[in-house]
Amino acid sequence: MSYDKEKRNEMQADLAKWQEKVDKMLSKKKERKDVFISSGANEINRLYTPLDVPSEYKEKIGLPGEYPYTRGPQSNMYRGKLWTMRMYAGFSTAEESNKRYKYLLENGSSGLSVAFDLPTQIGYDSDHEMSEGEVGKVGVAIDSLADMEILFDNIPLEQVSTSMTINSPASILLAMYMAVGEKQGVSPEKLRGTIQNDILKEYAARGTYIFPVQPSMRLITNIFEFCSAKIPQWNTISISGYHIREAGSTAVDEIAFTFADGMAYVKAAIKAGMDVDSFAGRLSFFLNAHNDLFEEVAKFRAARRLWAYIMKEYFKAKDPRSWMFRTHSQTAGSMLTAQQVENNVVRVCIQALAAVLGGTQSLHTNSKDEALALPSEGSVRTALRTQQILGYETGVADTVDPLAGSYYIEALTEKIYNEAWEKIQKIEEMGGAERAIELGYIQNEIQKAAYQWQMDVESGKRVIVGVNKFQVEEPEPTGLLRVDLSVQKAQIAKLDALKKKRDGIAVANRLEELRQAAKGDGNMMPYIINAVKAYATEGEICGVLREEWGEYVAAVTL
Amino acid sequence: MAERKIRVLVAKPGLDGHDRGAKVIAQAFRDAGFEVIYTGLRQTPERIVATAEQEDVDCVALSMLSGSHLTLMPKVTKLLKEKSMDDILVVGGGVIPNEDIPLLKEAGVSEIFTPGTPTSLCAEYIKNNIHLK
């Protein structure tokens, strides 16, 4: 959108005249608000014109499937294939979750996404004292390969792609997944999926860390290296802004902190001796699809352009696949209200639309009842149907990057790009994401924004329909899904039976080999795989690593 | 003599790492004039009670979103009672189904604040219900 100087001058003059008129009008009648702040904390102008749009179309916007990928990583985007409709699910036992996965696949889900319970995410078996009350609550309980075999029973792993929200023990769950594949006769090079494996955002925003920074970063680079040789279609990490945003960050910070984390992983792998193009193509991302429709679309577009720039210009990657920002997204759980839950269906629909217009590669849509409890089967179906309606009925997927060229979208894309890059440079000056987390900088920035949000809601500056405006008296919600304590008992009984049945000497030997490997500096993956295949439990494996590496001690920031 | 400030321990029991709510409420309590101690993540009921004792607090505010509140909250109140510290006001907040609230109250949790509650209301409740030492 380049205009010659004469045209620009003319536009500027017109704009100045228009501004005078508007000022006169405003002196008589004020606008709804003094300043208009987006849900991601960007200040929004009254009007955007061609003067706000960057004039370098080829360099900054370009064509889909081409650098800088602002318009999308693929050249034909959803005309070729719709995004993967991937519903995050898992609760109770492996048996129950297996049923839910089959239900989702029968209803047209195109990929699986496994939610693990907190003990599994933190490397405790179901019988550990820290697991009390938590088993099977926020996800499925997996103690050993035996549970994983049940979880994927009769689900052909060569046909589905599976995303696993697992970070500290990602290597262990990946090893289990490979072992299940092997039993099904599926070779590792055919396995497709993602492990979250993003420890830095756990330290900063999500909290399921186990080990200190150094060994954690080692495990991550071990996985990069192992996967590039053995499971080439596997996404080795899902660098996540989702939880940073959920914790309360602004839209710009969601991108800035995520990419600062991403850069830390790339640097660690390069430092470990890897060539950037050998692993960068398998890095994937995970963003939030928040309330503010246009801002979110601009955010996805800015993120693609910025990551491409970072990989090409900063890390000097040569393979275009290393430049491509590919992302999963999820609608904002923190924006669901416990009041008038039906309204959440509408919120989720608009958030999902933002992700699709932003060009996401896969999407999870939240269920309306998630501000109250785990989602019921019926509400999960509505959430999935929301994606299907967007994909099949509305036409929004029929052309690539439909909002490109909107003065507003392009101006906001440019703004988010610039501000995120500025913040990333600030973090780099501090010594990178690891240091910024250690200093509490990232946590504090998130906290500040979260508090500001809460105060704006309480003062009524931000209206949340049904919460601080348009409230009604409601009956108690009924039919909520609950996981009772019998799950923990059943899981402990399974664990006891497994320990009696397995070859105890083999387990002890594999764990001792693992311990020796942990003391050295080689790749941990082969040892973890051997331990898993001998049916060592997740808690036993993490226990050995805890003894050797210690545990991360979080700085309490407030 | 200056009036003693209300001392509140904001705690995250269990393994859940979602502490946006805990940190927001802690800051709001601070702005309301309370002395606030925040425990950080992954606190066992035993550790929470030990901190409450050490910090000589008037109120323990438990933040939970993982669904394990029926196990962990009553454990905190039980331990407080065992140590004859049940003059400490215990409140809870987070994703907690309404039908669980009577059970928690029976176990000695004084009030539960569910999503959407203004922070000022929580602070007001504490001011009105603590037994000042």
Side-chain angles (χ1 to χ4, degrees):
Chain A
M1 230 161 298
S2 55
Y3 296 89
D4 59 35
K5 208 167 167 214
E6 202 179 323
K7 273 236 167 89
R8 288 184 79 87
N9 285 343
E10 194 186 318
M11 273 191 264
Q12 247 146 9
D14 287 349
L15 200 59
K17 268 189 255 165
W18 174 84
Q19 186 63 48
E20 266 175 46
K21 260 198 330 203
V22 173
D23 287 342
K24 219 183 252 170
M25 183 186 85
L26 292 179
S27 65
K28 286 180 209 138
K29 191 174 187 296
K30 288 217 303 185
E31 290 179 325
R32 282 188 289 120
K33 307 176 196 173
D34 294 334
V35 266
F36 286 72
I37 304 287
S38 69
S39 70
N42 279 298
E43 187 174 340
I44 304 302
N45 298 346
R46 181 172 300 111
L47 182 77
Y48 292 86
T49 72
L51 295 172
D52 300 300
V53 175
S55 54
E56 309 91 333
Y57 177 83
K58 187 181 158 69
E59 294 78 15
K60 293 188 167 177
I61 302 168
L63 294 171
E66 289 179 17
Y67 188 85
Y69 302 99
T70 309
R71 306 202 60 185
Q74 296 102 20
S75 50
N76 65 345
M77 289 301 286
Y78 306 137
R79 285 171 69 102
K81 178 179 150 289
L82 290 176
W83 64 93
T84 304
M85 299 179 189
R86 191 189 293 285
M87 302 297 280
Y88 186 46
F91 60 99
S92 178
T93 58
E95 286 85 352
E96 281 298 313
S97 294
N98 175 266
K99 269 190 234 161
R100 179 65 71 94
Y101 296 156
K102 286 178 179 158
Y103 171 83
L104 284 166
L105 290 169
E106 278 158 21
N107 273 281
S109 255
S110 41
L112 295 176
S113 176
V114 182
F116 297 101
D117 70 358
L118 285 164
T120 306
Q121 293 189 53
I122 300 175
Y124 293 124
D125 285 338
S126 299
D127 58 359
H128 193 280
E129 59 168 341
M130 289 297 286
S131 304
E132 199 187 341
E134 309 270 20
V135 176
K137 285 279 160 66
V138 303
V140 60
I142 300 292
D143 289 319
S144 75
L145 176 56
D147 294 322
M148 202 71 159
E149 287 163 359
I150 298 166
L151 189 66
F152 292 103
D153 185 42
N154 277 314
I155 296 174
L157 297 194
E158 79 274 19
Q159 284 169 32
V160 293
S161 71
T162 303
S163 171
M164 294 190 275
T165 297
I166 194 79
N167 292 280
S168 254
S171 53
I172 302 168
L173 275 299
L174 174 61
M176 287 183 187
Y177 193 79
M178 288 174 66
V180 172
E182 197 177 301
K183 292 209 168 166
Q184 286 189 4
V186 184
S187 60
E189 59 271 19
K190 286 198 184 127
L191 294 175
R192 286 176 303 121
T194 307
I195 38 177
Q196 197 161 78
N197 199 24
D198 171 11
I199 194 66
L200 292 173
K201 68 90 179 51
E202 296 297 327
Y203 297 140
R206 190 169 172 273
T208 70
Y209 42 75
I210 306 175
F211 313 114
V213 179
Q214 286 312 319
S216 295
M217 294 300 271
R218 171 186 172 191
L219 274 178
I220 290 168
T221 51
N222 285 174
I223 289 169
F224 286 2
E225 193 177 40
F226 175 84
C227 289
S228 94
K230 303 274 170 141
I231 333 180
Q233 296 193 76
W234 198 267
N235 296 315
T236 52
I237 193 165
S238 175
I239 308 163
S240 306
Y242 182 81
H243 319 89
I244 292 171
R245 188 73 182 275
E246 283 295 285
S249 87
T250 66
V252 165
D253 284 356
E254 180 187 352
I255 300 304
F257 298 159
T258 306
F259 285 2
D261 289 348
M263 289 169 76
Y265 300 127
V266 174
K267 280 188 259 182
I270 291 172
K271 201 173 157 204
M274 296 178 73
D275 174 60
V276 64
D277 285 313
S278 74
F279 66 88
R282 298 318 304 175
L283 304 178
S284 65
F285 291 86
F286 177 21
L287 293 186
N288 202 302
H290 215 268
N291 276 354
D292 198 308
L293 178 65
F294 296 115
E295 176 177 66
E296 291 300 290
V297 175
K299 181 189 81 183
F300 280 85
R301 299 174 85 248
R304 276 193 297 271
R305 190 179 131 205
L306 186 51
W307 187 248
Y309 170 79
I310 289 169
M311 292 313 294
K312 184 165 183 267
E313 304 300 336
Y314 191 95
F315 289 113
K316 307 291 177 205
K318 290 184 184 68
D319 187 341
R321 275 173 299 189
S322 306
W323 306 336
M324 267 181 226
F325 171 90
R326 297 170 301 121
T327 192
H328 173 64
S329 44
Q330 176 171 341
T331 56
S334 57
M335 293 299 106
L336 299 175
T337 64
Q339 297 75 10
Q340 303 176 45
V341 289
E342 298 299 326
N343 298 342
N344 291 329
V345 176
V346 181
R347 291 189 179 98
V348 168
C349 179
I350 291 167
Q351 295 160 350
L353 177 64
V356 170
L357 292 173
T360 192
Q361 277 55 66
S362 69
L363 177 62
H364 165 97
T365 31
N366 290 327
S367 301
K368 64 177 184 185
D369 42 7
E370 286 183 76
L372 300 170
L374 286 170
S376 66
E377 221 167 62
S379 67
V380 170
R381 190 174 54 221
T382 303
L384 174 59
R385 294 288 181 258
T386 304
Q387 296 197 43
Q388 290 161 338
I389 289 165
L390 286 173
Y392 295 103
E393 294 184 11
T394 65
V396 295
D398 292 352
T399 189
V400 177
D401 191 22
L403 293 185
S406 143
Y407 309 134
Y408 178 32
I409 288 286
E410 295 299 356
L412 207 48
T413 303
E414 178 76 4
K415 181 176 192 278
I416 294 172
Y417 176 96
N418 287 331
E419 288 177 12
W421 180 230
E422 218 170 280
K423 205 125 193 199
I424 290 167
Q425 285 170 301
K426 189 173 172 183
I427 293 168
E428 289 302 297
E429 276 161 29
M430 276 179 208
E434 291 130 300
R435 182 75 186 130
I437 290 164
E438 202 185 332
L439 292 170
Y441 168 75
I442 291 182
Q443 299 91 311
N444 279 327
E445 290 289 291
I446 295 171
Q447 230 165 283
K448 258 195 323 206
Y451 194 60
Q452 185 61 47
W453 177 280
Q454 182 65 26
M455 292 305 108
D456 288 350
V457 170
E458 294 191 9
S459 70
K461 254 195 222 167
R462 259 185 213 287
V463 172
I464 312 288
V465 173
V467 175
N468 62 358
K469 207 168 184 172
F470 314 114
Q471 301 97 321
V472 294
E473 285 292 319
E474 297 183 84
E476 302 262 306
T478 52
L480 299 177
L481 180 66
R482 326 195 45 128
V483 175
D484 61 40
L485 292 174
S486 68
V487 171
Q488 181 157 15
K489 275 192 201 137
Q491 201 60 26
I492 292 172
K494 268 204 279 183
L495 206 48
D496 288 343
L498 173 85
K499 286 183 180 169
K500 283 191 191 112
K501 212 174 91 183
R502 66 183 186 180
D503 178 349
I505 295 167
V507 172
N509 287 337
R510 297 300 87 80
L511 290 175
E512 185 50 34
E513 289 157 16
L514 179 80
R515 186 184 300 279
Q516 294 312 317
K519 288 181 199 289
D521 59 4
N523 197 310
M524 296 294 296
M525 277 307 290
Y527 301 93
I528 291 168
I529 291 171
N530 287 341
V532 159
K533 281 186 173 173
Y535 292 89
T537 66
E538 199 221 14
E540 289 168 336
I541 295 172
C542 287
V544 166
L545 299 179
R546 277 185 159 102
E547 283 165 21
E548 293 304 319
W549 292 342
E551 293 195 52
Y552 179 74
V553 183
V556 176
T557 54
L558 190 68
Chain B
M1 205 175 97
E3 203 179 312
R4 182 183 182 275
K5 276 189 178 180
I6 296 173
R7 292 175 67 80
V8 181
L9 178 69
V10 175
K12 282 283 301 173
L15 301 179
D16 180 31
H18 294 89
D19 60 354
R20 175 179 181 165
K23 286 176 169 176
V24 163
I25 200 77
Q27 203 168 333
F29 287 164
R30 203 167 272 177
D31 286 356
F34 302 171
E35 294 270 6
V36 182
I37 302 108
Y38 172 52
T39 60
L41 304 179
R42 290 192 210 168
Q43 300 292 306
T44 58
E46 288 80 5
R47 214 178 311 161
I48 291 167
V49 170
T51 311
E53 187 174 22
Q54 203 180 327
E55 296 285 348
D56 190 25
V57 298
D58 307 299
C59 170
V60 175
L62 303 166
S63 167
M64 296 198 66
L65 292 87
S66 70
S68 48
H69 48 270
L70 283 181
T71 308
L72 298 177
M73 284 188 182
K75 225 173 155 184
V76 172
T77 50
K78 187 170 157 249
L79 287 170
L80 285 173
K81 200 165 191 179
E82 279 171 17
K83 292 193 144 197
S84 306
M85 289 161 63
D86 47 345
D87 57 328
I88 294 178
L89 181 74
V90 179
V91 295
V95 180
I96 292 161
N98 280 342
E99 61 195 43
D100 292 355
I101 294 175
L103 297 169
L104 293 170
K105 286 192 173 169
E106 212 170 292
V109 181
S110 173
E111 191 56 271
I112 294 289
F113 302 103
T114 52
T117 312
T119 54
S120 50
L121 213 130
C122 307
E124 204 55 36
Y125 180 87
I126 291 173
K127 270 185 205 159
N128 294 336
N129 288 279
I130 50 155
H131 319 275
L132 263 186
K133 293 174 187 174

